[in-house]
Amino acid sequence: MGSNSTEKALSILRYLPRCKKRGRGQHGGDKHGAGNKGSGQRQNYMRLGYETGNNPFYLRFPHEPYYQGHHLRRQYPPLSMLELQTLIDTNRIDPTKPIDLVAILNTGLYKLFPDQKQFGVHLTDEGADVFKTKVNIEVQWANEIVIAAIERAGGVITTAYFDQHSLQAMLNTKKFFERGVPIPRRMMPPPDAIEYYSDPDKRGYLADPEKISQQRLVLAQKFGYLLPKIEEDPEYEMLLERKDPRQIFYGLHPGWVVNLKDKVILKPEEQELQRYYAS
Amino acid sequence: MSNFWQNFVKIAWRVPPVRLYSSTGYKSAISLENLYPGSSLKLTTPKPPNQEQEKFTGYIPIEELDITYSRSTGPGGQNVNKVNTKVEIKFHVNKATWINEDIKIKLAEKFKNKITKEGFAIFRSDLTRSQQLNLADCLEKIRASVRSCEIEETKPPEETEEKIRRRLERASRERLALKRGRSQVKSDRQAPQ
């Protein structure tokens, strides 16, 4: 059915003039399709888009893409390894427990503003050569020098993503619990961040731990240090401790309500709620 | 407001004072168990690759290398005066377990400028401002050297060699002919003897 009409259209096109041909002879003659005077007849044509002097359409609307996509750009305020070592040395952070964003924020010396599109800690490599503590640390961004420094000291580093609501909860945990709201689930990273957090190179929290083990050896070979045998470490269990991708706090599940006044934790009993918080 | 709490059952469960970070066994739908069903989900130390292979795998046992740090040369003020950023790696070529015997011979011949009389190969680097990166650069130099010895240099076939020889000969001939021509021009400007 469709082919009939297209065939017809094509057959009509065969007889239609394909382009404006130059007028030659009898009725195509006289001015030969070039009009009267002006640039057209004198073959001194105006440039494409020119509108005889008024501001042409293609210049009317300026393109100034200074803030294009600014709402999608994530910021990770830096924390140097030197600062981290100082925090550990001055007993502000306990290296015998897993360190995460909550632990760093609780020191009060690192500030984060999630409403200004700040998404967490960027551990920088300043002081990487003097870092000697064995830690299990969870940050939001780290380069390979930082990863190498932490693994050389016998520790474990993971990069994890926290969405805005989770960050607000982590900023002031006491205030969050006082609201009496159940702990939310942590959301998945946005599409442009999923690759980063699934990469074993970057020790992403969504990456396969077996591949991460391989990458540990690769990095040790690259930076020339002996990879410490993590299985024989007495703190192996602590170093292996990790949050679930939907978990915000160590030891607390999404859906729980923490009552600090009565020192109880309320857990959902309703099937629907349990299914939601485990999804 | 009280209806809100009907969905929850109050459990008088004290928050344990010690071991706050005990693994409570929370598993969501996107936990690592569900993302990677076949994985052991544990961090282990993998064994280094098999040394008996013919090809160099890139693995270097770091304990067999003698690494020394010193201060770098060049400008840099207080930093270059104080910080040990230069890295020197020494290893005995013949005693190295991670290089094949035939590659050792080639290495000794190709990099004889880097090997001392006693047979120690020395690789240095002060490329960057960081000791760690310089160490990485040194190791990369060693690996690149070993790999360059593995590549078999292919000689061009006789036809190509013949072509190249003819080309060079022709170029020489033309150059000499031009030279002769110029010389003739110069001599024509003089009065005939």
Side-chain angles (χ1 to χ4, degrees):
Chain A
M1 285 180 302
S3 60
N4 257 345
S5 57
T6 47
E7 273 173 22
K8 229 181 174 177
L10 284 170
S11 61
I12 292 166
L13 263 181
R14 198 170 290 135
Y15 299 104
L16 288 174
R18 261 178 267 145
C19 58
K20 182 173 178 281
K21 275 191 163 169
R22 192 160 290 282
R24 288 279 182 259
Q26 204 169 17
H27 305 291
D30 188 2
K31 286 185 254 316
H32 304 279
N36 266 319
K37 300 186 191 182
S39 57
Q41 195 174 38
R42 295 178 177 139
Q43 265 79 53
N44 180 21
Y45 300 103
M46 293 174 261
R47 66 170 184 275
L48 187 66
Y50 184 64
E51 289 176 22
T52 64
N54 59 284
N55 201 11
F57 180 81
Y58 76 98
L59 288 181
R60 267 175 193 269
F61 314 102
H63 181 53
E64 293 176 1
Y66 309 124
Y67 297 101
Q68 198 165 61
H70 76 288
H71 64 293
L72 300 168
R73 288 187 211 143
R74 291 181 300 275
Q75 292 178 22
Y76 299 95
L79 178 78
S80 70
M81 292 200 79
L82 205 59
E83 283 174 342
L84 183 65
Q85 184 68 66
T86 315
L87 290 170
I88 292 170
D89 292 339
T90 50
N91 294 326
R92 286 183 192 266
I93 288 180
D94 190 0
T96 59
K97 295 189 184 125
I99 304 172
D100 67 337
L101 182 60
V102 182
I104 296 169
L105 288 169
N106 283 344
T107 62
L109 295 171
Y110 179 81
K111 303 271 192 250
L112 193 72
F113 304 101
D115 47 321
Q116 292 178 26
K117 293 178 203 68
Q118 294 179 355
F119 278 78
V121 173
H122 170 26
L123 202 52
T124 51
D125 50 13
E126 182 176 358
D129 30 352
V130 291
F131 194 83
K132 293 282 183 301
T133 327
K134 182 169 61 177
V135 288
N136 174 2
I137 189 162
E138 190 194 61
V139 288
Q140 278 63 59
W141 203 271
N143 70 0
E144 57 179 12
I145 300 171
V146 163
I147 297 170
I150 289 183
E151 289 179 351
R152 188 189 293 124
V156 170
I157 179 166
T158 316
T159 45
Y161 173 82
F162 289 93
D163 60 291
Q164 298 269 289
H165 288 292
S166 316
L167 287 171
Q168 289 290 355
M170 292 162 98
L171 262 185
N172 198 340
T173 343
K174 184 160 173 284
K175 198 169 166 187
F176 173 73
F177 290 149
E178 280 168 6
R179 282 168 57 195
V181 173
I183 296 170
R185 298 177 307 164
R186 200 202 320 179
M187 289 294 127
M188 280 281 276
D192 53 350
I194 281 182
E195 210 183 300
Y196 181 86
Y197 291 108
S198 317
D199 199 354
D201 270 352
K202 314 280 189 299
R203 310 292 185 270
Y205 72 122
L206 297 172
D208 190 358
E210 275 182 2
K211 292 210 176 74
I212 290 178
S213 305
Q214 286 295 323
Q215 285 302 324
R216 280 165 57 88
L217 181 63
V218 168
L219 206 68
Q221 277 292 296
K222 178 171 182 175
F223 284 98
Y225 58 89
L226 280 167
L227 191 63
K229 276 219 157 72
I230 193 171
E231 308 99 20
E232 288 156 19
D233 201 306
E235 292 184 335
Y236 184 45
E237 226 184 86
M238 184 281 284
L239 290 173
L240 227 60
E241 181 125 18
R242 258 210 203 190
K243 291 181 198 166
D244 185 271
R246 286 265 192 234
Q247 205 176 354
I248 301 177
F249 303 106
Y250 278 116
L252 296 174
H253 299 185
W256 288 2
V257 182
V258 174
N259 189 338
L260 287 174
K261 186 161 176 283
D262 303 330
K263 294 204 171 59
V264 293
I265 292 181
L266 305 163
K267 303 182 185 182
E269 267 227 335
E270 179 84 19
Q271 271 295 315
E272 189 70 43
L273 282 171
Q274 279 180 357
R275 237 199 321 235
Y276 169 72
Y277 284 115
S279 66
Chain B
M1 244 337 246
S2 59
N3 291 337
F4 181 73
W5 297 110
Q6 280 174 10
N7 290 331
F8 297 85
V9 165
K10 215 172 181 179
I11 305 166
W13 189 69
R14 294 201 74 90
V15 174
V18 184
R19 290 287 295 167
L20 188 65
Y21 302 119
S22 59
S23 56
T24 44
Y26 169 67
K27 295 277 178 283
S28 69
I30 53 164
S31 69
L32 287 178
E33 274 179 6
N34 296 330
L35 292 176
Y36 306 105
S39 174
S40 69
L41 304 177
K42 277 192 168 202
L43 280 179
T44 52
T45 317
K47 282 206 195 78
N50 200 357
Q51 304 277 38
E52 268 89 81
Q53 283 175 26
E54 277 297 317
K55 226 174 161 227
F56 176 56
T57 52
Y59 177 79
I60 302 174
I62 309 293
E63 58 268 20
E64 290 184 22
L65 301 175
D66 175 24
I67 306 172
T68 40
Y69 307 109
S70 59
R71 291 185 293 275
S72 291
T73 56
Q78 198 177 56
N79 195 301
V80 81
N81 289 343
K82 290 185 149 186
V83 183
N84 286 342
T85 45
K86 185 170 181 175
V87 173
E88 189 178 277
I89 298 186
K90 271 201 253 208
F91 63 94
H92 200 266
V93 182
N94 284 335
K95 292 187 190 150
T97 55
W98 42 280
I99 316 175
N100 274 333
E101 298 303 316
D102 28 326
I103 295 175
K104 273 185 200 169
I105 301 161
K106 265 196 168 171
L107 200 71
E109 193 228 299
K110 197 167 177 185
F111 294 97
K112 60 179 188 290
N113 288 336
K114 290 202 200 284
I115 301 175
T116 63
K117 248 192 295 186
E118 285 87 42
F120 285 93
I122 304 181
F123 286 85
R124 295 190 187 98
S125 173
D126 59 352
L127 186 70
T128 69
R129 297 181 64 190
S130 156
Q131 189 191 77
Q132 318 303 332
L133 290 174
N134 285 343
L135 182 53
D137 181 48
C138 239
L139 287 166
E140 195 49 47
K141 277 185 182 170
I142 297 172
R143 288 192 185 106
S145 317
V146 175
R147 283 198 191 108
S148 70
C149 292
E150 276 190 340
I151 303 166
E152 274 186 39
E153 280 159 24
T154 49
K155 229 179 131 213
E158 275 184 38
E159 293 166 1
T160 320
E161 279 197 14
E162 183 63 25
K163 262 192 183 170
I164 292 167
R165 190 193 62 79
R166 281 229 204 98
R167 231 183 265 162
L168 291 170
E169 225 173 274
R170 190 178 347 124
S172 282
R173 254 185 282 131
E174 282 172 12
R175 176 179 57 83
L176 290 170
L178 272 174
K179 205 173 178 184
R180 260 180 264 125
R182 283 203 304 273
S183 167
Q184 188 66 41
V185 166
K186 292 281 186 79
S187 61
D188 286 343
R189 289 180 186 153
Q190 306 296 325
Q193 252 87 57

